[in-house]
Amino acid sequence: MDYRDTPEEAEFRAVLRQWLSATIPAGWDKIDDEEEAVELRKEWHRTLYRAGYVGMSWPVEYGGRGLSPVYDAILNEESGNMNAPSLPSVGYIGRAIFTYASEEQKRRFLPPLLSGEVSWCQGFSEPEAGSDLASLRTTARLEGDHYVVNGQKMWTSGGQYADWCLLLARTDPDVPKHKGISAFLVALNEPGVTVRPIVIASGEAETAEVFWDDVRIPEEQRLGAPGEGWRIAMTTVAYERGPADIGFIAAYRRTLRKVERLATERGLLEQPETRKALARAYVRGEVLRLNCMEQLSLRVSGRAPGSEGSVAKLLWAEAEQSLQHLAMDILGADELTGVADGWLSSYFTSRPVSVYGGSAQIQKNIIARMLDMPR
C-alpha cells in the first residue's frame, strides 16, 4: 500500500491541525484528579463529535460520515502530534453492535455511542474466567420476555463511569461451553446491578467489578442470536486488539515526547545509551503505526479484522511497556524516593496492557495457528 496522503487526505490533515491547535483545552494534561480527568475526556469526546471527528468511517445513517478508516488513522496521528487529550474508544464495542445488532438496535444504540451521550464498558472477564473466557459462569435465564441475569464480572475497565455494558452470560449450560453464551446490551442503572471500583497497583481505580443480582433484561436487548455470544466476543476483541480503534497511537506519541523531555531535563539526551533507547522507542511506535495502517488498508478493501490483530496487540504491549520502562530508567531512584513524581503510576498502569483483549500467550497461540504451526 502507499502510505502517503492523497490530496484529499492532505487537505483533511491540514484542516484538522488548525482545528486541534485552536480547540485543545489548555492545561488538560496537568489534571491529577481522576473524576475531573474523566469529565474532561467525556467533554473532549463530545467536542470531537460536534466537529465531525468521531465516527468518520461509520455509515451516515448511524451518526458517522461514511469516510475511509484512513481518516481515523490521520486523526490518531495528528492528535498525538498536537498533544491532544485521549481519543474516545468507540471502535471495538461499537463495531460489535454494528456487526450483530438488528436495524432497530443500531439506530437506538450507535448514534449516542458515537456522540458521547452514552458511554459503554465491556462485561466479559470473571473471577475464574479471564484468559479462559468461555468458562464464564454468569447466567441469563429466559423468563417470559425477559432474561434474568446473575453473576459477577471482573476487570471491567471504566465500568464505574459507564452508562451501558456489553454483557456476556451463559444462556444454555447443556451445550459445549463456547456455544452456550449469549450477549446483551444492558443499562448499568438497572435494579440489581452493583458497580465497585477496583484500585490497581497505580493507585487509581481505573477498572471495576460488577455484580448482577436478578437483573431483568428485555429479550429485545439480546445482541445477535441465542448462543452467538462467543462469536460476538471474538469480534469485539479483534477490534480491541487494533490500536487504531482505541486511539493508542496518539497516546504513544504523546508519551514518547514526554520521555524525550524527561531525558533533556536530566541532561541525559547526549548519552549514547539514552539516545539508542529513545530511537528504539520511536521505531517501535512507527512499526506499530504502519502495522495499523496496513490493517486499516485491509479494512478499506472490505476485509474484517482477523488473526493479524494479534500481531498489532503484541507490538502495542511491547511498545507501551518498553517506553514506560525507559522513563523509569531515566528517573532511577528519584521516582521511588519521591524526588521525582508522576511516572510510577503510569508504569504500573502499563503492566496489564499485556492482557487487554487476551494475554500475550493467547495472541501467540493465535499467530501460531495463523501460520499453520504445529501445536
Side-chain angles (χ1 to χ4, degrees), residues 144 171 185:
T171 49
L185 308 170

Short mmCIF file of all heavy atoms in Angstrom, two decimals, residues 144 171 185:
data_model
loop_
_atom_site.label_atom_id
_atom_site.label_comp_id
_atom_site.label_asym_id
_atom_site.label_seq_id
_atom_site.Cartn_x
_atom_site.Cartn_y
_atom_site.Cartn_z
N GLY A 144 -40.31 -15.64 30.31
CA GLY A 144 -41.23 -14.83 29.53
C GLY A 144 -40.48 -14.04 28.48
O GLY A 144 -39.73 -14.60 27.68
N THR A 171 -26.42 -18.76 28.62
CA THR A 171 -27.86 -18.97 28.46
C THR A 171 -28.22 -20.44 28.26
O THR A 171 -29.39 -20.80 28.33
CB THR A 171 -28.40 -18.15 27.26
OG1 THR A 171 -27.57 -18.38 26.12
CG2 THR A 171 -28.42 -16.67 27.58
N LEU A 185 -27.14 -6.12 25.74
CA LEU A 185 -26.89 -4.69 25.87
C LEU A 185 -27.68 -4.21 27.08
O LEU A 185 -28.91 -4.23 27.06
CB LEU A 185 -27.32 -3.96 24.60
CG LEU A 185 -26.75 -4.53 23.29
CD1 LEU A 185 -27.43 -3.91 22.08
CD2 LEU A 185 -25.24 -4.32 23.23
#
